[in-house]
PDB file of all heavy atoms in Angstrom:
ATOM      1  N   ASN A   1     207.294 346.179 124.231  1.00  0.00           N
ATOM      2  CA  ASN A   1     206.779 346.805 123.019  1.00  0.00           C
ATOM      3  C   ASN A   1     206.248 345.700 122.116  1.00  0.00           C
ATOM      4  O   ASN A   1     207.013 344.915 121.559  1.00  0.00           O
ATOM      5  CB  ASN A   1     207.871 347.610 122.308  1.00  0.00           C
ATOM      6  CG  ASN A   1     207.325 348.340 121.091  1.00  0.00           C
ATOM      7  OD1 ASN A   1     207.178 347.765 120.027  1.00  0.00           O
ATOM      8  ND2 ASN A   1     207.032 349.623 121.253  1.00  0.00           N
ATOM      9  N   ASN A   2     204.938 345.651 121.958  1.00  0.00           N
ATOM     10  CA  ASN A   2     204.317 344.540 121.257  1.00  0.00           C
ATOM     11  C   ASN A   2     204.651 344.480 119.767  1.00  0.00           C
ATOM     12  O   ASN A   2     204.493 343.432 119.141  1.00  0.00           O
ATOM     13  CB  ASN A   2     202.783 344.602 121.433  1.00  0.00           C
ATOM     14  CG  ASN A   2     202.358 344.352 122.867  1.00  0.00           C
ATOM     15  OD1 ASN A   2     203.029 343.641 123.606  1.00  0.00           O
ATOM     16  ND2 ASN A   2     201.249 344.959 123.272  1.00  0.00           N
ATOM     17  N   SER A   3     205.103 345.599 119.215  1.00  0.00           N
ATOM     18  CA  SER A   3     205.408 345.609 117.782  1.00  0.00           C
ATOM     19  C   SER A   3     206.808 345.082 117.476  1.00  0.00           C
ATOM     20  O   SER A   3     207.129 344.817 116.315  1.00  0.00           O
ATOM     21  CB  SER A   3     205.269 347.032 117.224  1.00  0.00           C
ATOM     22  OG  SER A   3     206.261 347.891 117.780  1.00  0.00           O
ATOM     23  N   SER A   4     207.645 344.948 118.491  1.00  0.00           N
ATOM     24  CA  SER A   4     209.014 344.482 118.259  1.00  0.00           C
ATOM     25  C   SER A   4     209.042 342.963 118.118  1.00  0.00           C
ATOM     26  O   SER A   4     208.130 342.256 118.528  1.00  0.00           O
ATOM     27  CB  SER A   4     209.930 344.926 119.392  1.00  0.00           C
ATOM     28  OG  SER A   4     209.522 344.351 120.621  1.00  0.00           O
ATOM     29  N   LYS A   5     210.144 342.481 117.521  1.00  0.00           N
ATOM     30  CA  LYS A   5     210.340 341.049 117.318  1.00  0.00           C
ATOM     31  C   LYS A   5     211.536 340.595 118.146  1.00  0.00           C
ATOM     32  O   LYS A   5     212.343 341.414 118.609  1.00  0.00           O
ATOM     33  CB  LYS A   5     210.581 340.761 115.833  1.00  0.00           C
ATOM     34  CG  LYS A   5     209.451 341.216 114.909  1.00  0.00           C
ATOM     35  CD  LYS A   5     209.831 340.993 113.454  1.00  0.00           C
ATOM     36  CE  LYS A   5     208.677 341.336 112.514  1.00  0.00           C
ATOM     37  NZ  LYS A   5     208.336 342.771 112.544  1.00  0.00           N
ATOM     38  N   PHE A   6     211.684 339.292 118.310  1.00  0.00           N
ATOM     39  CA  PHE A   6     212.839 338.775 119.037  1.00  0.00           C
ATOM     40  C   PHE A   6     213.240 337.427 118.464  1.00  0.00           C
ATOM     41  O   PHE A   6     212.449 336.736 117.811  1.00  0.00           O
ATOM     42  CB  PHE A   6     212.541 338.657 120.535  1.00  0.00           C
ATOM     43  CG  PHE A   6     211.572 337.550 120.888  1.00  0.00           C
ATOM     44  CD1 PHE A   6     212.037 336.276 121.194  1.00  0.00           C
ATOM     45  CD2 PHE A   6     210.204 337.786 120.913  1.00  0.00           C
ATOM     46  CE1 PHE A   6     211.140 335.253 121.524  1.00  0.00           C
ATOM     47  CE2 PHE A   6     209.304 336.774 121.238  1.00  0.00           C
ATOM     48  CZ  PHE A   6     209.784 335.506 121.541  1.00  0.00           C
ATOM     49  N   GLY A   7     214.516 337.081 118.710  1.00  0.00           N
ATOM     50  CA  GLY A   7     215.038 335.803 118.229  1.00  0.00           C
ATOM     51  C   GLY A   7     216.531 335.727 118.465  1.00  0.00           C
ATOM     52  O   GLY A   7     217.045 336.263 119.447  1.00  0.00           O
ATOM     53  N   THR A   8     217.225 335.098 117.549  1.00  0.00           N
ATOM     54  CA  THR A   8     218.673 334.931 117.693  1.00  0.00           C
ATOM     55  C   THR A   8     219.412 336.174 117.197  1.00  0.00           C
ATOM     56  O   THR A   8     218.845 337.029 116.509  1.00  0.00           O
ATOM     57  CB  THR A   8     219.153 333.716 116.887  1.00  0.00           C
ATOM     58  OG1 THR A   8     218.972 333.990 115.483  1.00  0.00           O
ATOM     59  CG2 THR A   8     218.386 332.461 117.273  1.00  0.00           C
ATOM     60  N   ASN A   9     220.690 336.237 117.536  1.00  0.00           N
ATOM     61  CA  ASN A   9     221.520 337.341 117.037  1.00  0.00           C
ATOM     62  C   ASN A   9     221.605 337.319 115.514  1.00  0.00           C
ATOM     63  O   ASN A   9     221.604 338.378 114.869  1.00  0.00           O
ATOM     64  CB  ASN A   9     222.919 337.260 117.640  1.00  0.00           C
ATOM     65  CG  ASN A   9     222.967 337.734 119.080  1.00  0.00           C
ATOM     66  OD1 ASN A   9     222.327 338.715 119.440  1.00  0.00           O
ATOM     67  ND2 ASN A   9     223.726 337.039 119.909  1.00  0.00           N
ATOM     68  N   GLN A  10     221.689 336.132 114.928  1.00  0.00           N
ATOM     69  CA  GLN A  10     221.761 336.031 113.476  1.00  0.00           C
ATOM     70  C   GLN A  10     220.489 336.579 112.832  1.00  0.00           C
ATOM     71  O   GLN A  10     220.547 337.307 111.828  1.00  0.00           O
ATOM     72  CB  GLN A  10     221.972 334.574 113.061  1.00  0.00           C
ATOM     73  CG  GLN A  10     222.189 334.370 111.570  1.00  0.00           C
ATOM     74  CD  GLN A  10     223.509 334.943 111.073  1.00  0.00           C
ATOM     75  OE1 GLN A  10     224.489 334.980 111.800  1.00  0.00           O
ATOM     76  NE2 GLN A  10     223.529 335.385 109.822  1.00  0.00           N
ATOM     77  N   GLN A  11     219.357 336.272 113.408  1.00  0.00           N
ATOM     78  CA  GLN A  11     218.093 336.791 112.884  1.00  0.00           C
ATOM     79  C   GLN A  11     218.034 338.313 113.003  1.00  0.00           C
ATOM     80  O   GLN A  11     217.540 338.999 112.097  1.00  0.00           O
ATOM     81  CB  GLN A  11     216.919 336.148 113.623  1.00  0.00           C
ATOM     82  CG  GLN A  11     216.713 334.684 113.306  1.00  0.00           C
ATOM     83  CD  GLN A  11     215.653 334.034 114.185  1.00  0.00           C
ATOM     84  OE1 GLN A  11     215.611 334.251 115.406  1.00  0.00           O
ATOM     85  NE2 GLN A  11     214.781 333.245 113.584  1.00  0.00           N
ATOM     86  N   ALA A  12     218.523 338.847 114.110  1.00  0.00           N
ATOM     87  CA  ALA A  12     218.549 340.302 114.292  1.00  0.00           C
ATOM     88  C   ALA A  12     219.451 340.959 113.259  1.00  0.00           C
ATOM     89  O   ALA A  12     219.118 342.015 112.701  1.00  0.00           O
ATOM     90  CB  ALA A  12     219.018 340.646 115.702  1.00  0.00           C
ATOM     91  N   ALA A  13     220.609 340.331 112.989  1.00  0.00           N
ATOM     92  CA  ALA A  13     221.555 340.863 112.002  1.00  0.00           C
ATOM     93  C   ALA A  13     220.945 340.855 110.610  1.00  0.00           C
ATOM     94  O   ALA A  13     221.143 341.787 109.821  1.00  0.00           O
ATOM     95  CB  ALA A  13     222.842 340.053 112.025  1.00  0.00           C
ATOM     96  N   GLU A  14     220.206 339.810 110.300  1.00  0.00           N
ATOM     97  CA  GLU A  14     219.561 339.713 108.989  1.00  0.00           C
ATOM     98  C   GLU A  14     218.431 340.733 108.856  1.00  0.00           C
ATOM     99  O   GLU A  14     218.217 341.304 107.777  1.00  0.00           O
ATOM    100  CB  GLU A  14     219.020 338.299 108.777  1.00  0.00           C
ATOM    101  CG  GLU A  14     220.116 337.244 108.659  1.00  0.00           C
ATOM    102  CD  GLU A  14     219.578 335.820 108.732  1.00  0.00           C
ATOM    103  OE1 GLU A  14     218.346 335.663 108.980  1.00  0.00           O
ATOM    104  OE2 GLU A  14     220.366 334.874 108.565  1.00  0.00           O
ATOM    105  N   PHE A  15     217.722 340.993 109.944  1.00  0.00           N
ATOM    106  CA  PHE A  15     216.567 341.888 109.927  1.00  0.00           C
ATOM    107  C   PHE A  15     216.964 343.350 109.766  1.00  0.00           C
ATOM    108  O   PHE A  15     216.336 344.100 109.010  1.00  0.00           O
ATOM    109  CB  PHE A  15     215.773 341.714 111.225  1.00  0.00           C
ATOM    110  CG  PHE A  15     214.596 342.640 111.352  1.00  0.00           C
ATOM    111  CD1 PHE A  15     213.376 342.293 110.843  1.00  0.00           C
ATOM    112  CD2 PHE A  15     214.724 343.861 112.024  1.00  0.00           C
ATOM    113  CE1 PHE A  15     212.275 343.139 110.965  1.00  0.00           C
ATOM    114  CE2 PHE A  15     213.638 344.718 112.152  1.00  0.00           C
ATOM    115  CZ  PHE A  15     212.411 344.350 111.622  1.00  0.00           C
ATOM    116  N   GLY A  16     217.975 343.773 110.479  1.00  0.00           N
ATOM    117  CA  GLY A  16     218.263 345.198 110.598  1.00  0.00           C
ATOM    118  C   GLY A  16     218.966 345.809 109.410  1.00  0.00           C
ATOM    119  O   GLY A  16     219.868 345.205 108.825  1.00  0.00           O
ATOM    120  N   ASP A  17     218.560 347.040 109.066  1.00  0.00           N
ATOM    121  CA  ASP A  17     219.343 347.875 108.146  1.00  0.00           C
ATOM    122  C   ASP A  17     220.474 348.543 108.921  1.00  0.00           C
ATOM    123  O   ASP A  17     221.561 348.763 108.391  1.00  0.00           O
ATOM    124  CB  ASP A  17     218.459 348.961 107.526  1.00  0.00           C
ATOM    125  CG  ASP A  17     217.271 348.397 106.778  1.00  0.00           C
ATOM    126  OD1 ASP A  17     217.465 347.451 105.996  1.00  0.00           O
ATOM    127  OD2 ASP A  17     216.158 348.911 106.978  1.00  0.00           O
ATOM    128  N   ILE A  18     220.154 348.897 110.164  1.00  0.00           N
ATOM    129  CA  ILE A  18     221.133 349.471 111.093  1.00  0.00           C
ATOM    130  C   ILE A  18     221.215 348.530 112.288  1.00  0.00           C
ATOM    131  O   ILE A  18     220.188 348.087 112.819  1.00  0.00           O
ATOM    132  CB  ILE A  18     220.722 350.881 111.544  1.00  0.00           C
ATOM    133  CG1 ILE A  18     220.650 351.821 110.336  1.00  0.00           C
ATOM    134  CG2 ILE A  18     221.698 351.423 112.596  1.00  0.00           C
ATOM    135  CD1 ILE A  18     220.173 353.224 110.665  1.00  0.00           C
ATOM    136  N   ILE A  19     222.430 348.238 112.722  1.00  0.00           N
ATOM    137  CA  ILE A  19     222.661 347.268 113.784  1.00  0.00           C
ATOM    138  C   ILE A  19     223.228 347.972 115.015  1.00  0.00           C
ATOM    139  O   ILE A  19     224.134 348.811 114.889  1.00  0.00           O
ATOM    140  CB  ILE A  19     223.653 346.178 113.330  1.00  0.00           C
ATOM    141  CG1 ILE A  19     223.164 345.500 112.045  1.00  0.00           C
ATOM    142  CG2 ILE A  19     223.897 345.171 114.438  1.00  0.00           C
ATOM    143  CD1 ILE A  19     221.840 344.776 112.152  1.00  0.00           C
ATOM    144  N   TYR A  20     222.684 347.627 116.177  1.00  0.00           N
ATOM    145  CA  TYR A  20     223.355 348.007 117.419  1.00  0.00           C
ATOM    146  C   TYR A  20     224.056 346.765 117.941  1.00  0.00           C
ATOM    147  O   TYR A  20     223.411 345.759 118.268  1.00  0.00           O
ATOM    148  CB  TYR A  20     222.369 348.542 118.469  1.00  0.00           C
ATOM    149  CG  TYR A  20     223.052 348.863 119.778  1.00  0.00           C
ATOM    150  CD1 TYR A  20     223.853 349.991 119.900  1.00  0.00           C
ATOM    151  CD2 TYR A  20     222.931 348.020 120.873  1.00  0.00           C
ATOM    152  CE1 TYR A  20     224.519 350.273 121.088  1.00  0.00           C
ATOM    153  CE2 TYR A  20     223.582 348.293 122.059  1.00  0.00           C
ATOM    154  CZ  TYR A  20     224.369 349.418 122.158  1.00  0.00           C
ATOM    155  OH  TYR A  20     225.030 349.680 123.332  1.00  0.00           O
ATOM    156  N   TYR A  21     225.408 346.842 118.021  1.00  0.00           N
ATOM    157  CA  TYR A  21     226.214 345.687 118.434  1.00  0.00           C
ATOM    158  C   TYR A  21     226.616 345.858 119.887  1.00  0.00           C
ATOM    159  O   TYR A  21     227.415 346.738 120.226  1.00  0.00           O
ATOM    160  CB  TYR A  21     227.455 345.559 117.548  1.00  0.00           C
ATOM    161  CG  TYR A  21     228.247 344.301 117.820  1.00  0.00           C
ATOM    162  CD1 TYR A  21     227.895 343.101 117.209  1.00  0.00           C
ATOM    163  CD2 TYR A  21     229.334 344.310 118.690  1.00  0.00           C
ATOM    164  CE1 TYR A  21     228.609 341.935 117.448  1.00  0.00           C
ATOM    165  CE2 TYR A  21     230.054 343.150 118.944  1.00  0.00           C
ATOM    166  CZ  TYR A  21     229.678 341.973 118.327  1.00  0.00           C
ATOM    167  OH  TYR A  21     230.385 340.815 118.576  1.00  0.00           O
ATOM    168  N   SER A  22     226.073 345.013 120.759  1.00  0.00           N
ATOM    169  CA  SER A  22     226.250 345.171 122.191  1.00  0.00           C
ATOM    170  C   SER A  22     227.320 344.297 122.826  1.00  0.00           C
ATOM    171  O   SER A  22     227.943 344.720 123.805  1.00  0.00           O
ATOM    172  CB  SER A  22     224.909 344.924 122.901  1.00  0.00           C
ATOM    173  OG  SER A  22     225.034 345.093 124.283  1.00  0.00           O
ATOM    174  N   PRO A  23     227.574 343.057 122.330  1.00  0.00           N
ATOM    175  CA  PRO A  23     228.534 342.190 123.028  1.00  0.00           C
ATOM    176  C   PRO A  23     229.902 342.853 123.168  1.00  0.00           C
ATOM    177  O   PRO A  23     230.533 343.209 122.175  1.00  0.00           O
ATOM    178  CB  PRO A  23     228.606 340.954 122.125  1.00  0.00           C
ATOM    179  CG  PRO A  23     227.308 340.939 121.406  1.00  0.00           C
ATOM    180  CD  PRO A  23     226.974 342.371 121.178  1.00  0.00           C
ATOM    181  N   ARG A  24     230.343 343.024 124.402  1.00  0.00           N
ATOM    182  CA  ARG A  24     231.585 343.760 124.637  1.00  0.00           C
ATOM    183  C   ARG A  24     232.780 342.821 124.582  1.00  0.00           C
ATOM    184  O   ARG A  24     232.804 341.789 125.265  1.00  0.00           O
ATOM    185  CB  ARG A  24     231.535 344.454 126.003  1.00  0.00           C
ATOM    186  CG  ARG A  24     232.616 345.513 126.172  1.00  0.00           C
ATOM    187  CD  ARG A  24     232.449 346.276 127.446  1.00  0.00           C
ATOM    188  NE  ARG A  24     233.007 345.576 128.589  1.00  0.00           N
ATOM    189  CZ  ARG A  24     233.230 346.121 129.778  1.00  0.00           C
ATOM    190  NH1 ARG A  24     232.906 347.374 129.984  1.00  0.00           N
ATOM    191  NH2 ARG A  24     233.738 345.431 130.757  1.00  0.00           N
TER     192      ARG A  24
END
């Protein structure tokens, strides 16, 4: 999906209003 972004987990946490937490 070309509109999505990627990076570190910290960046994802900072970006999201809602978080999906996957590490089990």
